[in-house]
Amino acid sequence: FTCGGTAGHVNPALALAGLIKERKPDSEILFVGARRGIEKQLIESAGWPFRTVEISSFHRSLTPKELRHNLISLRNLLRSPGEAKALLKEFPASLVVGTGGYASYPMIRAAASLGIPAAVHDSNAIPGLTTRLLEKHADLIMVGFEECRKNYRHPEKVLVTGTPVRGDFFRLTKKEAKKQLGMDDGRPLVVSFWGSLGAAEMNREMARFLALESRDGAPFHHVHGAGALGCQRMGAYLAEAGVDLEKSPSLEVREYIQDMSVLMRAADLVICRAGASTISELTALGVPAIIVPSPNVTNNHQEHNARVLSDAGGAVLILERESSGELLYKTAGEILRDQERRRGMSAAMAALGSVDAAEKIYTAMMALRGPQGK
């Protein structure tokens, strides 16, 4: 597997690797990523062997600092194919699968040049640059939604599989999850988060959201993940908004949501960004959402992801420039007070989901390997 850059690229590969090892215990699996990416920590902490190729991104700015960065990236781009080929000769793979990130480019290219079957999985509605560059070299392109097919020059290579979601998201029923959390008193549960690092301005708006909840006597349970950086400022934002969480025990702010699988399972509404992993979890569980896509991502892919869900009726899309704590609170209240609307959103979300995405991808990978993979 070759992946990196974000957890959304790494997590599907980890889920697939676990499934392969479960089905074929004798399989040998190697992960390849970039030297300085988040992938090293995620993959090694999961117990998988990890190697690197020297690859980095290109920046669009023309400042001297960014030009120097791009020259280094160009050097890495020229050097990485040789590193990738050397890795594949040392580890004679029968299949190479890229799930996103810059490291996927040299590894899939090297696999194609050596005659090794290669596949790419892209979780986003709009293919990323790496996927676009690899389309003609990969034997198979796996995508999250049927709507994605039109974005490829070779639709005959495209297979709609969905995006794998960890099995622990399905361990409990909704009722069991609420009981485990101690939130089974009949009030709905709202879960909100803006990513692992958080987003400063959106956390400020969430403090205002919490202030409105507190003023109204906490009409629903609410757990907000502020993120590693956001949590440092959240105290000031709450004080600015006049929120005393000690007086509102149903409202919680955490740096990071460790039990995300339980909270997402119990949630009646999620307020979040539109990263690929989050989208796959929402659709697999059929959870209604209010989505505020990050405007600071390549090709504005989060807005495209969010529009797939909002067009289907599973989510309400609010652009960050138009969002506010007041609007988010008003929209959340309208959804949570209208059970028929909430059921419709849940059904629409679930219709887009694929609870057996890992199984579909596993089957496709084994077929791509040919007779030795049967």
Side-chain angles (χ1 to χ4, degrees), residues 124-126 274 293 298-309:
N124 290 306
I126 299 293
T298 306
N299 296 326
N300 200 26
H301 72 255
Q302 284 207 7
E303 184 176 335
H304 291 290
N305 289 349
R307 289 199 182 280
V308 171
L309 305 189

Side-chain angles (χ1 to χ4, degrees), residues 56 98 115 158 221 230 298 300 357:
S56 49
V158 175
H221 295 279
T298 306
N300 200 26

Side-chain angles (χ1 to χ4, degrees), residues 12-322:
L14 291 174
L16 293 167
L19 182 59
I20 290 173
K21 204 66 176 175
E22 177 186 317
R23 300 285 177 83
K24 294 181 175 293
D26 294 334
S27 297
E28 293 182 58
I29 297 173
L30 176 68
F31 279 81
V32 180
R35 195 177 306 280
R36 298 174 185 84
I38 191 176
E39 53 267 33
K40 177 178 172 63
Q41 176 188 348
L42 293 173
I43 292 163
E44 289 186 343
S45 65
W48 297 103
F50 177 73
R51 300 287 295 276
T52 63
V53 290
E54 195 67 58
I55 191 76
S56 49
S57 63
F58 286 91
H59 296 171
R60 296 182 182 181
S61 172
L62 297 178
T63 64
K65 179 181 178 181
E66 300 299 357
L67 286 173
R68 284 194 298 274
H69 172 89
N70 287 342
L71 286 173
I72 293 171
S73 293
L74 179 60
R75 182 197 66 188
N76 292 341
L77 184 64
L78 295 173
R79 190 171 71 177
S80 60
E83 293 181 347
K85 283 186 179 180
L87 270 175
L88 288 174
K89 288 177 180 177
E90 179 185 338
F91 186 90
S94 54
L95 177 65
V96 176
V97 180
T99 57
Y102 299 112
S104 294
Y105 180 77
M107 291 303 298
I108 296 293
R109 286 291 306 270
S113 69
L114 294 172
I116 300 171
V120 172
H121 181 275
D122 197 316
S123 304
N124 290 306
I126 299 293
L129 175 61
T130 302
T131 303
R132 290 184 187 277
L133 292 173
L134 290 174
E135 183 178 355
K136 65 180 179 181
H137 303 287
D139 298 289
L140 178 67
I141 307 288
M142 296 175 283
V143 298
F145 306 106
E146 181 61 41
E147 291 84 348
C148 302
R149 194 187 299 275
K150 65 178 183 293
N151 297 312
Y152 290 88
R153 294 190 302 273
H154 299 282
E156 72 281 359
K157 288 186 177 183
V158 175
L159 177 67
V160 180
T161 59
T163 298
V165 175
R166 298 196 321 259
D168 57 338
F169 276 80
F170 308 102
R171 182 174 55 87
L172 300 173
T173 65
K174 189 180 187 75
K175 184 177 181 180
E176 289 169 341
K178 282 182 177 289
K179 184 174 182 180
Q180 180 172 312
L181 293 166
M183 299 179 184
D184 54 348
D185 60 2
R187 281 181 293 167
L189 167 62
V190 174
V191 177
S192 59
F193 51 91
W194 306 119
S196 57
L197 295 179
E201 192 53 41
M202 292 311 301
N203 274 328
R204 187 190 295 273
E205 297 303 334
M206 194 49 62
R208 293 168 180 157
F209 185 112
L210 289 161
L212 293 169
E213 288 179 284
S214 181
R215 180 202 67 187
D216 291 345
F220 25 80
H221 295 279
H222 187 175
V223 177
H224 176 62
L229 296 179
C231 209
Q232 298 172 18
R233 303 176 181 176
M234 201 64 192
Y237 294 156
L238 290 168
E240 179 185 281
V243 182
D244 184 350
L245 292 179
E246 290 187 4
K247 294 180 179 178
S248 300
S250 297
L251 311 181
E252 250 186 278
V253 173
R254 306 180 187 176
E255 176 179 333
Y256 186 71
I257 298 176
Q258 298 286 356
D259 53 347
M260 184 65 84
S261 60
V262 180
L263 276 166
M264 288 276 274
R265 189 58 157 162
D268 296 287
L269 178 69
V270 171
I271 305 173
C272 59
R273 294 301 202 187
S277 285
T278 300
I279 295 298
S280 63
E281 290 157 7
L282 290 171
T283 55
L285 295 173
V287 184
I290 299 172
I291 299 181
V292 185
S294 171
N296 306 310
V297 293
T298 306
N299 296 326
N300 200 26
H301 72 255
Q302 284 207 7
E303 184 176 335
H304 291 290
N305 289 349
R307 289 199 182 280
V308 171
L309 305 189
S310 64
D311 289 348
V316 174
L317 167 61
I318 299 176
L319 299 179
E320 183 167 315
R321 65 177 179 269
E322 299 168 355

Side-chain angles (χ1 to χ4, degrees), residues 351-365:
L352 292 170
S354 180
V355 295
D356 59 348
E359 186 68 41
K360 290 178 181 176
I361 296 172
Y362 175 83
T363 300
M365 289 191 301

